[in-house]
Short mmCIF file of all heavy atoms in Angstrom, two decimals:
data_model
loop_
_atom_site.label_atom_id
_atom_site.label_comp_id
_atom_site.label_asym_id
_atom_site.label_seq_id
_atom_site.Cartn_x
_atom_site.Cartn_y
_atom_site.Cartn_z
N ALA W 135 -26.39 0.49 -1.07
CA ALA W 135 -27.50 0.87 -0.29
C ALA W 135 -28.81 0.38 -0.99
O ALA W 135 -29.71 -0.08 -0.25
CB ALA W 135 -27.58 2.41 -0.12
N GLY W 136 -28.88 0.43 -2.23
CA GLY W 136 -30.02 -0.01 -2.94
C GLY W 136 -30.15 -1.62 -2.81
O GLY W 136 -31.27 -2.08 -2.68
N PHE W 137 -29.03 -2.25 -2.85
CA PHE W 137 -29.09 -3.74 -2.63
C PHE W 137 -29.57 -4.10 -1.29
O PHE W 137 -30.46 -4.96 -1.16
CB PHE W 137 -27.68 -4.29 -2.85
CG PHE W 137 -27.53 -5.71 -2.34
CD1 PHE W 137 -28.11 -6.78 -3.06
CD2 PHE W 137 -26.72 -6.02 -1.25
CE1 PHE W 137 -28.02 -8.06 -2.58
CE2 PHE W 137 -26.61 -7.28 -0.72
CZ PHE W 137 -27.27 -8.35 -1.47
N VAL W 138 -29.07 -3.39 -0.26
CA VAL W 138 -29.50 -3.74 1.10
C VAL W 138 -30.99 -3.37 1.34
O VAL W 138 -31.79 -4.21 1.89
CB VAL W 138 -28.66 -2.94 2.12
CG1 VAL W 138 -29.22 -3.05 3.58
CG2 VAL W 138 -27.24 -3.47 2.09
N ALA W 139 -31.44 -2.28 0.84
CA ALA W 139 -32.84 -1.83 0.97
C ALA W 139 -33.77 -2.82 0.22
O ALA W 139 -34.81 -3.17 0.68
CB ALA W 139 -33.04 -0.42 0.49
N THR W 140 -33.35 -3.16 -1.01
CA THR W 140 -34.15 -4.07 -1.80
C THR W 140 -34.27 -5.48 -1.18
O THR W 140 -35.28 -6.08 -1.14
CB THR W 140 -33.62 -4.19 -3.24
OG1 THR W 140 -33.59 -2.90 -3.81
CG2 THR W 140 -34.50 -5.03 -4.11
N ALA W 141 -33.12 -5.88 -0.66
CA ALA W 141 -33.14 -7.25 -0.02
C ALA W 141 -33.97 -7.18 1.32
O ALA W 141 -34.67 -8.12 1.60
CB ALA W 141 -31.68 -7.66 0.34
N ARG W 142 -33.87 -6.08 2.01
CA ARG W 142 -34.75 -5.96 3.22
C ARG W 142 -36.20 -5.80 2.96
O ARG W 142 -36.98 -6.31 3.72
CB ARG W 142 -34.21 -4.78 4.09
CG ARG W 142 -32.88 -4.89 4.62
CD ARG W 142 -32.85 -5.41 5.97
NE ARG W 142 -34.00 -4.83 6.70
CZ ARG W 142 -34.15 -4.77 7.92
NH1 ARG W 142 -33.17 -5.23 8.66
NH2 ARG W 142 -35.20 -4.32 8.47
N ALA W 143 -36.49 -5.09 1.90
CA ALA W 143 -37.91 -4.93 1.52
C ALA W 143 -38.62 -6.22 1.13
O ALA W 143 -39.77 -6.42 1.34
CB ALA W 143 -38.05 -3.90 0.40
N GLY W 144 -37.86 -7.19 0.66
CA GLY W 144 -38.42 -8.43 0.19
C GLY W 144 -38.57 -9.46 1.33
O GLY W 144 -39.31 -10.43 1.16
N LYS W 145 -37.97 -9.19 2.48
CA LYS W 145 -38.04 -10.14 3.59
C LYS W 145 -39.27 -9.94 4.42
O LYS W 145 -39.71 -8.81 4.67
CB LYS W 145 -36.77 -10.02 4.50
CG LYS W 145 -35.56 -10.58 3.85
CD LYS W 145 -34.49 -10.61 4.92
CE LYS W 145 -33.25 -11.21 4.27
NZ LYS W 145 -32.20 -11.39 5.22
N ARG W 146 -39.82 -11.02 4.82
CA ARG W 146 -41.02 -10.92 5.72
C ARG W 146 -40.58 -11.30 7.17
O ARG W 146 -39.70 -12.21 7.33
CB ARG W 146 -42.06 -11.91 5.32
CG ARG W 146 -42.64 -11.66 3.97
CD ARG W 146 -43.55 -10.38 4.04
NE ARG W 146 -44.08 -10.14 2.69
CZ ARG W 146 -43.89 -8.90 2.09
NH1 ARG W 146 -43.13 -8.00 2.66
NH2 ARG W 146 -44.40 -8.70 0.88
N PRO W 147 -40.98 -10.61 8.17
CA PRO W 147 -40.50 -10.86 9.51
C PRO W 147 -40.94 -12.24 9.99
O PRO W 147 -41.93 -12.85 9.53
CB PRO W 147 -41.17 -9.78 10.31
CG PRO W 147 -42.32 -9.33 9.53
CD PRO W 147 -42.01 -9.55 8.12
N ALA W 148 -40.22 -12.78 10.87
CA ALA W 148 -40.55 -14.11 11.43
C ALA W 148 -41.81 -14.01 12.33
O ALA W 148 -42.00 -12.99 13.02
CB ALA W 148 -39.40 -14.65 12.28
N ALA W 149 -42.62 -15.03 12.34
CA ALA W 149 -43.82 -15.06 13.18
C ALA W 149 -43.47 -15.15 14.67
O ALA W 149 -42.55 -15.88 15.01
CB ALA W 149 -44.71 -16.20 12.79
#
Side-chain angles (χ1 to χ4, degrees):
F137 166 71
V138 170
T140 304
R142 294 265 322 197
K145 287 190 175 182
R146 299 287 180 237

